[in-house]
């Protein structure tokens, strides 16, 4: 007998859930086996409890925290999310959305609850100067669809295989942030399912309280189902510059200069770990966009910079290859296994006036043992005024540096728990100089500390949570609001 591929996939995934039994708090696949089961609403998609689906949802890119959910929803449409939110609310089940699971500390996990796998909702529709994007879509798909129309979102994360809902829930920073803010700053409208199981649209004009509580809101008030993102004309080609400096101070001085006058379209920076024969390397990465025919004016772009001229690396590439530039590195890390190891990442925003001293003191203690063989240290600035959304908390200075230690617990490196503890100590030191956490890393943080973190934005955030998720069922893995007693 030959099986249709869909039927084979169905059998491998196990029987879908038919209901939840609140008395035993279990998801039921066979109604005959449960007395007290409450049947599921009629869905376009399905709810699964097979070990593969649960195992994947109990893990993330960090591989540090593992909480097994009770079930996973594969929505066939956004209306399924609304129906299941109402069902979970009635039955006291917690819920979290999962994009690509690239959180590093269990932020998207929920023990015993329902995980909504957003990947089936991945449509991208390009309009005149906006894209209407379902939240499960990857930024790589958004880039391809918009570039086909000669358009592009303004800001990209370094890695394109993250979901739109996932990065809009945290912010979304990249080398274009110094011109255009975070990805959340380019959103003009959202469609969401709130924790009270209503599907709502919101924008700066329509329900601004909800809009401002969802963007960078870490899934506390709603699941994003669709975002309308502003687009710009796309360049055909870019010129990519790697400039090298003798010290942190020399690097950050030039980064501030070029970010201040805006001469490049993109600016980031990386500190390369010492090798046997060299000390730390300090690299400025910058990009100028062009139409492929009239090259950028190198003399103007490099004027007044104090890098080591003999070390400059300059090359042209297509805009998409530039956006997708880390893909080959990711393939390599997958081939060596490094990609799949624990990732106790640390990400903080620092006030510019304290950055050099803080970074210099921090990297003194860093070695391949403390950040891992494939660990990456990033450092780049942007003007605070470009990032406008209230839940993105930043130091109170004109220029901010994003400083990240992307640690990998490689064989021979410190164990992951020691790295997490080191993250915590470094977090406290960064807080003491006015730093704020970019909440995508693995830093143990208490609800009281989150309240302090949100500062003046806390009251509105808490009010939105009470209004839109009155039963507090959404996204407990973020650890922001203390669990109900
Ligand atoms: C290799 C790599 C590179 C990265 N590069 C950058 C970078 O350059 N710039 C940057 O800013 N960040 C970067 N990040 C961090 C990344 O933006 C966040 O971790 C992001 O949340 C991951 O997206 P995801 O789709 O995997 O989300 P998930 O890990 O699936 O979810 C993250 C959180 O968002 C919630 N969530 C997910 N989807 C939704 C939704 N639709 N509605 C409501 N809540 C939702 C989840 O419940 C969870 O709490 C990087 C991460 C990795 C692993």
């Amino acid at each position: 007998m030959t099986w249709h591929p869909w039927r084979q996939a169905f059998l491998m995934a196990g029987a879908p859930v038919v209901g939840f039994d609140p008395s035993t708090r279990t998801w039921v696949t066979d109604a005959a086996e449960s007395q007290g089961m409450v049947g599921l609403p009629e869905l376009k998609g399905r709810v699964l409890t097979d070990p593969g689906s649960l195992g994947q949802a109990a893990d993330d890119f960090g591989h540090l925290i593992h909480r097994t959910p009770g079930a996973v929803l594969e929505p066939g449409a956004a209306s399924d999310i609304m129906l299941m939110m109402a069902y979970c609310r009635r039955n006291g089940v917690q819920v979290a959305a999962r994009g690509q699971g690239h959180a590093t500390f269990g932020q998207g996990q929920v023990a015993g609850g329902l995980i909504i796998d957003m990947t089936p909702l991945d449509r991208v529709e390009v309009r005149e100067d906006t894209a209407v994007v379902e939240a499960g879509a990857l930024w790589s798909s958004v880039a391809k669809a918009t570039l086909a129309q000669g358009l592009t979102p303004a800001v990209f994360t370094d890695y394109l295989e993250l979901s739109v809902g996932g990065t809009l829930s945290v912010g979304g920073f990249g080398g274009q942030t110094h011109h255009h803010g975070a990805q959340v700053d380019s959103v003009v409208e959202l469609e969401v399912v709130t924790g009270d199981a209503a599907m709502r649209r919101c924008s700066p004009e329509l329900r601004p309280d909800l809009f401002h509580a969802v963007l960078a809101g870490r899934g506390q008030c709603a699941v994003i189902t669709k975002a309308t993102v502003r687009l710009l004309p796309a360049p055909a080609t870019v010129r990519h510059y790697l400039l090298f400096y003798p010290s942190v101070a020399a690097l950050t001085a030039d980064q501030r200069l070029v970010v201040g006058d805006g001469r490049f379209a993109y600016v980031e920076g990386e500190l390369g770990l010492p090798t046997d024969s060299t000390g730390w390397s300090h690299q400025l990465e910058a990009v100028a966009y062009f139409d492929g025919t009239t090259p950028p004016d190198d003399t103007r772009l490099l004027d007044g910079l104090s890098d080591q001229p003999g070390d400059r690396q300059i090359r042209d590439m297509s805009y998409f290859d530039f956006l997708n530039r880390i893909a080959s590195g990711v393939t390599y890390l997958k081939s060596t296994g490094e990609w799949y190891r624990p990732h106790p990442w640390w990400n903080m925003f620092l006030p510019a006036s304290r950055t050099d001293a803080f970074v210099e003191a921090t990297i003194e203690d860093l070695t391949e043992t403390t950040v891992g063989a494939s660990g990456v240290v990033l450092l780049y600035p942007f003007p605070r005024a470009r990032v406008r959304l209230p839940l993105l908390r930043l130091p109170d200075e004109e220029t901010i540096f994003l400083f990240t230690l992307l640690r990998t617990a490689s064989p021979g490196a410190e164990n992951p728990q020691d790295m997490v503890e080191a993250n915590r100590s470094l977090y406290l030191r960064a807080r003491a100089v006015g730093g704020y956490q970019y909440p995508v890393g693995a830093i143990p943080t208490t609800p009281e500390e989150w309240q302090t973190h949100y500062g003046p934005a806390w009251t509105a955030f808490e009010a939105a949570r009470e209004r839109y998720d009155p039963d507090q069922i959404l996204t407990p893995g973020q650890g922001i609001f203390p669990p109900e007693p």
Side-chain angles (χ1 to χ4, degrees):
M1 177 180 219
T2 50
W3 292 98
H4 285 294
W6 70 263
R7 177 145 175 77
Q8 197 130 22
F10 174 83
L11 288 174
M12 283 168 66
V17 168
V18 291
F20 178 77
D21 185 337
S23 60
T24 56
R25 303 209 58 74
T26 49
W27 295 84
V28 179
T29 50
D30 182 351
E33 285 180 5
S34 165
Q35 299 289 310
M37 184 197 83
V38 184
L40 287 189
E42 199 172 313
L43 302 173
K44 294 194 169 71
R46 57 188 184 163
V47 178
L48 297 168
T49 52
D50 64 285
S53 304
L54 298 186
Q56 191 183 35
D59 196 8
D60 57 32
F61 187 74
H63 307 304
L64 297 159
I65 304 279
H66 301 279
R67 298 187 194 102
T68 307
V72 174
L73 168 67
E74 270 181 16
S79 55
D80 282 355
I81 298 178
M82 192 174 63
L83 291 169
M84 282 308 292
M85 194 78 83
Y87 181 86
C88 287
R89 192 180 172 200
R90 270 199 311 279
N91 291 293
V93 176
Q94 290 187 305
V95 177
R98 176 184 170 97
Q100 287 297 301
H102 280 66
T104 55
F105 211 44
Q107 288 93 335
Q109 298 175 23
V110 46
L114 181 76
I115 292 291
I116 303 171
D117 172 3
M118 297 300 296
T119 54
L121 303 184
D122 65 352
R123 266 177 309 185
V124 180
E125 185 192 328
V126 182
R127 297 187 177 163
E128 203 172 314
D129 56 1
T130 55
V132 182
V133 183
E134 286 187 328
L138 303 180
W139 284 102
S140 55
S141 313
V142 179
K144 285 175 195 155
T146 56
L147 284 177
Q149 310 291 325
L151 297 166
T152 179
V155 181
F156 283 94
T157 48
D158 296 344
Y159 183 49
L160 296 185
E161 311 310 325
L162 304 169
S163 77
V164 168
T167 73
L168 296 185
S169 297
V170 293
F173 287 79
Q176 303 93 344
T177 290
H178 74 282
H179 283 296
H180 302 289
Q183 288 180 321
V184 284
D185 290 296
S186 295
V187 176
V188 293
E189 189 179 295
L190 292 172
E191 177 194 274
V192 302
V193 174
T194 44
D196 60 355
M199 191 170 294
R200 295 181 158 109
R201 287 189 307 120
C202 58
S203 70
E205 294 78 35
L206 176 69
R207 302 188 186 92
D209 63 329
L210 180 59
F211 187 73
H212 290 130
V214 172
L215 290 174
R218 300 164 64 193
Q220 298 304 294
C221 296
V223 171
I224 302 170
T225 51
K226 220 183 251 180
T228 305
V229 180
R230 200 177 301 114
L231 301 176
L232 303 172
T237 314
V238 311
R239 181 160 290 181
H240 184 267
Y241 301 81
L242 264 191
L243 311 179
F244 291 83
Y245 293 83
S247 66
V248 170
L251 167 68
T252 58
D254 270 8
Q255 284 180 316
R256 292 179 67 168
L257 176 71
V258 299
V259 158
D261 62 25
R263 67 179 84 176
F264 289 109
Y266 164 105
V267 175
E268 287 199 8
E270 184 171 340
L271 306 179
L273 277 168
T275 64
D276 290 342
S277 53
T278 62
W280 280 91
S281 76
H282 313 88
Q283 309 162 21
L284 191 157
E285 186 192 22
V287 160
Y289 295 165
F290 70 114
D291 63 10
T293 52
T294 316
D297 179 353
D298 289 344
T299 310
R300 182 186 70 79
L301 287 168
L302 300 171
D303 182 42
L305 299 188
S306 62
D307 62 307
Q308 298 156 182
D311 295 338
R312 284 176 182 168
Q313 296 174 19
I314 303 177
R315 64 192 175 121
D316 294 347
M317 59 183 91
S318 79
Y319 178 62
F320 183 77
D321 286 349
F322 157 65
L323 295 178
N324 201 32
R325 66 200 171 283
I326 73 164
S328 57
V330 170
T331 304
Y332 173 73
L333 292 176
K334 286 182 177 173
S335 76
T336 62
E338 282 287 278
W339 187 255
Y340 306 107
R341 300 197 201 290
H343 290 106
W345 283 11
W346 183 96
N347 307 259
M348 298 248 346
F349 298 112
L350 301 174
S353 67
R354 309 298 292 270
T355 295
D356 290 358
F358 186 86
V359 171
E360 275 159 13
T362 303
I363 65 174
E364 247 177 42
D365 298 334
L366 294 184
T367 61
E368 206 172 290
T369 311
T370 54
V371 290
S374 57
V376 174
V377 181
L378 297 177
L379 179 67
Y380 61 89
F382 57 88
R384 186 183 200 276
R386 296 276 185 243
V387 176
R388 293 180 303 275
L389 289 199
L391 292 184
L392 274 175
R393 300 289 297 139
L394 298 171
D396 192 12
E397 268 190 25
E398 212 173 293
T399 305
I400 310 298
F401 276 81
L402 177 57
F403 182 34
T404 72
L405 310 185
L406 308 182
R407 304 185 203 252
T408 302
S410 318
E414 271 184 356
N415 74 55
Q417 278 321 316
D418 288 346
M419 289 184 176
V420 170
E421 273 174 36
N423 281 353
R424 172 74 191 170
S425 319
L426 194 58
Y427 159 74
L428 293 175
R429 274 165 49 199
R431 284 292 297 143
V433 301
Y436 279 83
Q437 193 176 155
Y438 180 37
V440 298
I443 305 176
T445 310
T446 64
E448 294 74 31
E449 285 168 334
W450 284 125
Q451 185 168 344
T452 307
H453 167 93
Y454 285 106
W458 177 257
T459 307
F461 195 19
E462 193 179 38
R465 167 85 166 182
E466 276 165 20
R467 172 178 297 176
Y468 295 110
D469 182 18
D471 296 324
Q472 311 245 347
I473 60 171
L474 277 172
T475 326
Q478 292 281 2
I480 302 170
F481 293 96
E484 297 273 89

